[in-house]
Short mmCIF file of all heavy atoms in Angstrom, two decimals:
data_model
loop_
_atom_site.label_atom_id
_atom_site.label_comp_id
_atom_site.label_asym_id
_atom_site.label_seq_id
_atom_site.Cartn_x
_atom_site.Cartn_y
_atom_site.Cartn_z
N ASN A 26 4.97 5.00 140.47
CA ASN A 26 5.84 4.55 139.38
C ASN A 26 6.68 3.37 139.87
O ASN A 26 7.75 3.56 140.43
CB ASN A 26 6.75 5.69 138.91
CG ASN A 26 7.67 5.26 137.77
OD1 ASN A 26 7.62 4.13 137.32
ND2 ASN A 26 8.48 6.19 137.30
N LEU A 28 8.54 1.49 138.37
CA LEU A 28 9.83 1.35 137.66
C LEU A 28 10.79 2.49 137.98
O LEU A 28 11.85 2.60 137.35
CB LEU A 28 9.58 1.29 136.15
CG LEU A 28 8.72 0.12 135.68
CD1 LEU A 28 8.54 0.17 134.17
CD2 LEU A 28 9.31 -1.21 136.11
N LEU A 29 10.47 3.34 138.96
CA LEU A 29 11.29 4.51 139.27
C LEU A 29 12.75 4.15 139.50
O LEU A 29 13.65 4.74 138.90
CB LEU A 29 10.73 5.25 140.49
CG LEU A 29 11.55 6.45 140.95
CD1 LEU A 29 11.46 7.57 139.92
CD2 LEU A 29 11.08 6.95 142.31
N ILE A 30 13.00 3.20 140.37
CA ILE A 30 14.40 2.84 140.70
C ILE A 30 15.10 2.31 139.46
O ILE A 30 16.23 2.70 139.16
CB ILE A 30 14.45 1.84 141.87
CG1 ILE A 30 13.96 2.53 143.14
CG2 ILE A 30 15.86 1.28 142.04
CD1 ILE A 30 13.83 1.61 144.34
N ARG A 31 14.42 1.43 138.72
CA ARG A 31 15.01 0.87 137.49
C ARG A 31 15.37 2.00 136.51
O ARG A 31 16.45 2.00 135.91
CB ARG A 31 14.02 -0.11 136.87
CG ARG A 31 14.55 -0.91 135.73
CD ARG A 31 13.61 -2.04 135.36
NE ARG A 31 13.53 -3.05 136.41
CZ ARG A 31 14.43 -4.02 136.57
NH1 ARG A 31 15.45 -4.11 135.76
NH2 ARG A 31 14.30 -4.90 137.55
N GLN A 32 14.48 2.98 136.38
CA GLN A 32 14.73 4.10 135.47
C GLN A 32 15.92 4.94 135.94
O GLN A 32 16.78 5.32 135.14
CB GLN A 32 13.48 4.97 135.34
CG GLN A 32 12.36 4.27 134.59
CD GLN A 32 11.00 4.94 134.76
OE1 GLN A 32 10.80 5.78 135.63
NE2 GLN A 32 10.06 4.56 133.91
N LEU A 33 15.98 5.22 137.23
CA LEU A 33 17.10 6.01 137.77
C LEU A 33 18.43 5.29 137.58
O LEU A 33 19.43 5.91 137.23
CB LEU A 33 16.87 6.31 139.26
CG LEU A 33 15.73 7.27 139.58
CD1 LEU A 33 15.53 7.36 141.10
CD2 LEU A 33 15.98 8.64 138.99
N VAL A 34 18.43 3.97 137.79
CA VAL A 34 19.65 3.19 137.62
C VAL A 34 20.10 3.20 136.16
O VAL A 34 21.28 3.37 135.87
CB VAL A 34 19.46 1.74 138.14
CG1 VAL A 34 20.62 0.86 137.71
CG2 VAL A 34 19.32 1.75 139.66
N GLU A 35 19.15 3.07 135.24
CA GLU A 35 19.51 3.06 133.82
C GLU A 35 20.09 4.40 133.39
O GLU A 35 21.07 4.46 132.64
CB GLU A 35 18.31 2.68 132.95
CG GLU A 35 17.91 1.22 133.09
CD GLU A 35 19.06 0.24 132.92
OE1 GLU A 35 19.91 0.43 132.01
OE2 GLU A 35 19.13 -0.73 133.70
N ILE A 36 19.50 5.49 133.88
CA ILE A 36 20.03 6.83 133.57
C ILE A 36 21.46 6.95 134.12
O ILE A 36 22.37 7.43 133.43
CB ILE A 36 19.12 7.93 134.15
CG1 ILE A 36 17.79 7.95 133.40
CG2 ILE A 36 19.80 9.29 134.10
CD1 ILE A 36 16.71 8.76 134.07
N TYR A 37 21.66 6.48 135.35
CA TYR A 37 22.98 6.55 135.97
C TYR A 37 23.99 5.72 135.17
O TYR A 37 25.10 6.18 134.88
CB TYR A 37 22.89 6.04 137.41
CG TYR A 37 24.21 6.07 138.15
CD1 TYR A 37 24.65 7.24 138.75
CD2 TYR A 37 25.01 4.94 138.24
CE1 TYR A 37 25.87 7.28 139.43
CE2 TYR A 37 26.22 4.96 138.91
CZ TYR A 37 26.64 6.13 139.50
OH TYR A 37 27.83 6.16 140.16
N LEU A 120 18.74 -4.15 141.26
CA LEU A 120 17.72 -4.37 140.22
C LEU A 120 17.15 -5.78 140.26
O LEU A 120 16.01 -5.98 139.85
CB LEU A 120 18.30 -4.07 138.82
CG LEU A 120 18.55 -2.60 138.52
CD1 LEU A 120 18.99 -2.42 137.09
CD2 LEU A 120 17.33 -1.74 138.82
#
Side-chain angles (χ1 to χ4, degrees):
N26 180 1
L28 300 180
L29 177 69
I30 293 174
R31 189 169 293 279
Q32 291 165 346
L33 291 174
V34 168
E35 290 309 319
I36 291 167
Y37 181 83
L120 289 185

